[in-house]
Amino acid sequence: MEGLYFYWLAWIAWVWTTFFMNKKNPVRLKWSVLLLSVILVAPYTIDFVSIEIHLSALAIGLYIFFETRRKKTGSLLYLFLSSFIIMLAYTSFLLFELFDPVWVLFDRNIMLGAAGFYLSVLLHKERKDRILALVSGFLQGDILFSVILWKFNFPYPAASMGFMDILFISLGLLLAWSAIESMISLMSGSTINQVEGEEQKTS
């Protein structure tokens, strides 16, 4: 069923940000409101220039706008370039799947999610920039694919439940990877401090 991964992961994330995240964390309210907004408006659609778009695209677009408006020109250009690369990869995957579905060996949602996760990690070091590049690249890619199919009279709603499944699988992988990186950083830092303490004792 389309939307299963999305609802499952989105509700888990919302419960975490609302009830378990530190209340003094400045991003807690922002993430809680964003997740709840996306969950609530995801089933509804609007027609924009003959293309059907789910309202979740609007919520995601507003998030991208508010997160990028204060970025410097250099970082904004690099973010645009990285999201453009992810957009091309996403759209190319869908086109290849459309014309030759044999090469999709297992669940397409997991394959696309893993590809987006890999590209965002490869292109950015900061978690926030990875999320921005991934979300904007996937959203632009889905809208581009919808426009391409519209030209051939094939209806394809942009930011559908299937798209949200792929996006949240990729975001889940990205957040899990960031948690692993943080754990490794903490472990390596504590190991270095322990070694330095032992060296001071011996000296």
Side-chain angles (χ1 to χ4, degrees):
M1 184 182 71
E2 287 190 348
L4 181 63
Y5 292 113
F6 160 60
Y7 280 120
W8 185 56
L9 293 172
W11 277 117
I12 289 176
W14 182 81
V15 169
W16 174 262
T17 56
T18 305
F19 299 106
F20 295 99
M21 186 176 285
N22 189 348
K23 293 183 178 180
K24 295 181 180 180
N25 194 322
V27 300
R28 173 179 172 269
L29 180 61
K30 178 181 67 177
W31 280 108
S32 297
V33 172
L34 174 64
L35 287 167
L36 190 59
S37 300
V38 171
I39 292 170
L40 291 176
V41 302
Y44 304 103
T45 62
I46 57 172
D47 290 328
F48 180 75
V49 195
S50 301
I51 299 173
E52 186 180 2
I53 301 178
H54 283 251
L55 288 178
S56 53
L58 178 61
I60 295 171
L62 289 173
Y63 160 74
I64 295 170
F65 170 75
F66 285 114
E67 291 295 322
T68 56
R69 60 177 180 167
R70 296 181 179 177
K71 280 188 169 292
K72 296 180 180 179
T73 304
S75 60
L76 186 61
L77 287 175
Y78 182 72
L79 180 64
F80 171 78
L81 178 63
S82 59
S83 63
F84 183 76
I85 293 171
I86 294 174
M87 177 195 74
L88 291 179
Y90 179 90
T91 308
S92 300
F93 184 101
L94 293 181
L95 289 173
F96 274 114
E97 180 192 25
L98 181 65
F99 291 107
D100 189 14
V102 178
W103 68 276
V104 182
L105 300 178
F106 52 94
D107 191 343
R108 63 185 294 273
N109 295 336
I110 297 176
M111 289 182 67
L112 261 172
F117 154 73
Y118 175 75
L119 286 173
S120 61
V121 171
L122 189 67
L123 294 168
H124 288 280
K125 293 182 179 180
E126 298 294 330
R127 181 177 60 183
K128 184 178 179 180
D129 292 334
R130 289 173 178 174
I131 293 174
L132 279 172
L134 175 65
V135 172
S136 60
F138 270 15
L139 181 60
Q140 293 175 77
D142 205 55
I143 294 174
L144 176 61
F145 185 67
S146 180
V147 171
I148 292 172
L149 292 189
W150 171 73
K151 290 184 176 180
F152 294 98
N153 295 321
F154 291 116
Y156 177 84
S160 63
M161 289 297 181
F163 164 78
M164 298 302 291
D165 280 339
I166 297 167
L167 177 62
F168 271 76
I169 287 172
S170 194
L171 287 173
L173 291 172
L174 185 58
L175 293 175
W177 180 259
S178 297
I180 292 172
E181 284 182 332
S182 299
M183 289 177 60
I184 293 174
S185 178
L186 288 173
M187 292 173 63
S188 61
S190 61
T191 303
I192 292 172
N193 292 333
Q194 185 178 0
V195 171
E196 289 179 350
E198 292 178 354
E199 289 178 352
Q200 290 177 358
K201 290 180 180 179
T202 54
S203 60

